[in-house]
Each structure stands twice: as C-alpha cells, then as structure tokens.
Amino acid sequence: MGKDSVKLIANNKKAYHDYFIEDTYEAGISLAGTEVKSLRMGKCSVKESFIRVDRGEVYVYNMHISPYEKGNIFNKDPLRVRKLLLHRGEINKMAGKMAQKGYTLVPLKVYFRGSLVKVEVGLAKGKKLYDKREDIAKKDRRRESEREFKVKNL
C-alpha cells in the first residue's frame, strides 16, 4: 500500500440526501490503537454522526467504531467523542460559516490514506422536503433516459 493509496472504510450516503454539501475538508482523527485495528477490519459507521466546533477544536459525535475482538481491556467506548485534527485556519473558516444560519458539519467518508485514518468533513446546508423530492425526480429521469438509451442501442 503506497502513500497516496486510499481505502474507503465508511461512507455517509444519507448526508448527500439530507444536505447540500458546499465545501469539503480532509481531517485526521485522534484514535486509540484498538480503534485503528477495528477500522482496518472495516467496522465503522458514520450514519448518525455529526461534528461540532467547541472552543476552537473540532469533535465528531456518535461515530460508531466497533470494539476490536482481541482488544479486551484496551477497548474504548464505541461511541466516544473523538477529536478531529485540522489546521487553525480551516477551523476558523468552518466556525465562521456555522455562525450563519442553516450550516452544519457532517462526516462524509472515513478512509485510510496510506497508513493514516482520515475523515472527509462536509460543510453542509440542510435540504427541505421539496428539495429532496426534486433530487429523487431528477435521479428517476436520468435512470429512465439511461434505460431508453440502453434499449435503443441493443
């Protein structure tokens, strides 16, 4: 595995459905040894997780990393709050945007870049119900046109 090889661990598809993603950041994450071993086995979920900026530091909440089977006493709480590692400028930019109404931070992906665990953080604005319906309708139209194109070219 090279330095720039990326191995996806968890993906948050629900975030793309519930939010307009306006900006993305790559953040490191502070983990214990057994958590990294569990991530190597792909045991992670970011579905209900969210991110907060607290006193100039960024934390991810409700990110579930299953306990490592052979970890015994070294295992940490699977839902513990974990610190994200970002540059001060990025944190200030995020905090400034979040001060505006409607913005939030959501984790989009958890992956390995080389040997390091990274989290892709999305600066997002919530979608209304009619936006979600519009997106579903667009997807259906695209799927239909692809199906027709496939039938014509057979």
Side-chain angles (χ1 to χ4, degrees):
M1 196 145 73
K3 259 189 168 169
D4 288 332
S5 64
V6 175
K7 180 186 172 226
L8 187 67
I9 302 166
N11 199 357
N12 192 355
K13 291 179 185 170
K14 196 170 192 275
Y16 291 100
H17 182 261
D18 292 340
Y19 301 99
F20 293 113
I21 308 299
E22 297 197 0
D23 206 358
T24 59
Y25 301 93
E26 183 180 68
I29 185 167
S30 180
L31 296 170
T34 54
E35 290 176 321
V36 176
K37 289 180 180 183
S38 188
L39 285 174
R40 288 212 183 277
M41 293 164 58
K43 299 194 173 172
C44 178
S45 172
V46 289
K47 275 194 178 79
E48 285 88 38
S49 57
F50 59 96
I51 297 171
R52 283 200 182 133
V53 179
D54 184 34
R55 283 184 250 132
E57 295 189 338
V58 184
Y59 297 95
V60 63
Y61 295 82
N62 283 356
M63 183 174 151
H64 188 277
I65 298 177
S66 301
Y68 183 58
E69 287 137 23
K70 298 177 183 81
N72 57 43
I73 60 166
F74 299 107
N75 278 332
K76 300 278 191 238
D77 176 32
L79 287 173
R80 77 183 180 94
V81 178
R82 295 172 181 89
K83 185 177 177 181
L84 294 180
L85 310 170
L86 288 152
H87 292 283
R88 175 74 45 218
E90 291 176 322
I91 295 172
N92 292 340
K93 199 175 189 183
M94 286 180 195
K97 279 283 193 179
M98 285 181 67
Q100 295 177 15
K101 194 173 189 296
Y103 281 99
T104 188
L105 290 171
V106 289
L108 302 174
K109 292 179 195 165
V110 179
Y111 55 94
F112 279 104
R113 165 147 297 152
S115 63
L116 303 173
V117 180
K118 300 288 184 179
V119 178
E120 188 174 283
V121 177
L123 184 66
K125 198 170 187 133
K127 281 186 183 178
K128 302 280 189 272
L129 186 61
Y130 56 86
D131 292 327
K132 292 178 190 176
R133 285 186 185 139
E134 201 174 284
D135 280 354
I136 291 168
K138 274 184 192 171
K139 247 184 237 173
D140 287 343
R141 283 194 298 268
R142 187 176 49 87
R143 202 176 297 127
E144 283 294 323
S145 65
E146 285 174 1
R147 193 177 295 137
E148 286 173 15
F149 182 74
K150 192 175 177 183
V151 169
K152 286 179 184 174
N153 288 340
L154 284 177

